[in-house]
Amino acid sequence: MRNVSRSLFAGFCLPALLVAASPDQIKESALFRDARAHLSARAFQMGLNQDFSVSPKNVHADEQGDHVSLTQTYKGIRVFDGEAILHLRNGYVVETTDGLVRGLNLNVRPELTEGEALAVAHGVLAPKGAYATAPEAELVIATPTGAFKPALVY
């Protein structure tokens, strides 16, 4: 009976220990939440539409404060090179490095599946041997400069 109660105790406590977040993770999560809220509240002023969102990229802290990097998404798809960095001091945003892409208005349903895109890439590359790692494709919104318009690409 004694061994059963120990294993039950371990069975309940072990998952709790595995999911416990460190203080740094908790702070990072709060910074991401606050940075996302800051940008979302200003999206209209910044010329971003209702399909705009951001996802966490990383947090960096130095003697000047915290720097929260966020990746832009549009209708849930990552915008290649769309990024904002919020610079915080004592919990307040003091500056924003704005690399967000504006004016996006496109259909995000791809014409090719990921498998079809990989097959096309394989055909174009014509590898002479096996891949060192399995090929992967990510659906993103490319935002080229010049006369080209943003497009959905793998």
Side-chain angles (χ1 to χ4, degrees):
M1 190 80 153
R2 192 174 185 181
N3 289 339
V4 171
S5 63
R6 280 188 190 163
S7 64
L8 284 174
F9 178 75
F12 286 115
C13 289
L14 187 57
L17 293 172
L18 293 175
V19 298
S22 72
D24 287 342
Q25 289 171 321
I26 292 169
K27 178 183 178 189
E28 197 170 286
S29 177
L31 286 170
F32 281 133
R33 183 193 64 235
D34 293 348
R36 180 181 290 123
H38 177 84
L39 285 177
S40 294
R42 290 156 183 78
F44 181 75
Q45 289 173 270
M46 298 172 74
L48 300 162
N49 66 23
Q50 71 276 6
D51 296 315
F52 157 82
S53 187
V54 289
S55 60
K57 187 172 181 183
N58 63 46
V59 172
H60 171 74
D62 61 21
E63 64 280 350
Q64 302 212 344
D66 296 307
H67 311 279
V68 182
S69 296
L70 300 161
T71 299
Q72 181 180 3
T73 61
Y74 174 79
K75 295 184 180 179
I77 307 292
R78 183 172 70 92
V79 178
F80 189 78
D81 279 344
E83 179 177 285
I85 305 170
L86 278 70
H87 308 276
L88 297 95
R89 197 169 299 125
N90 300 321
Y92 294 98
V93 175
V94 294
E95 184 180 355
T96 301
T97 303
D98 182 352
L100 299 170
V101 179
R102 285 138 175 91
L104 293 174
N105 183 20
L106 59 138
N107 181 353
V108 294
R109 190 176 40 172
E111 293 182 19
L112 298 176
T113 67
E114 179 180 355
E116 291 169 331
L118 287 170
V120 169
H122 180 80
V124 170
L125 294 172
K128 303 292 184 221
Y131 293 104
T133 59
E136 296 178 14
E138 178 188 6
L139 185 65
V140 298
I141 297 170
T143 56
T145 58
F148 300 102
K149 294 183 179 185
L152 197 61
V153 298
Y154 279 102

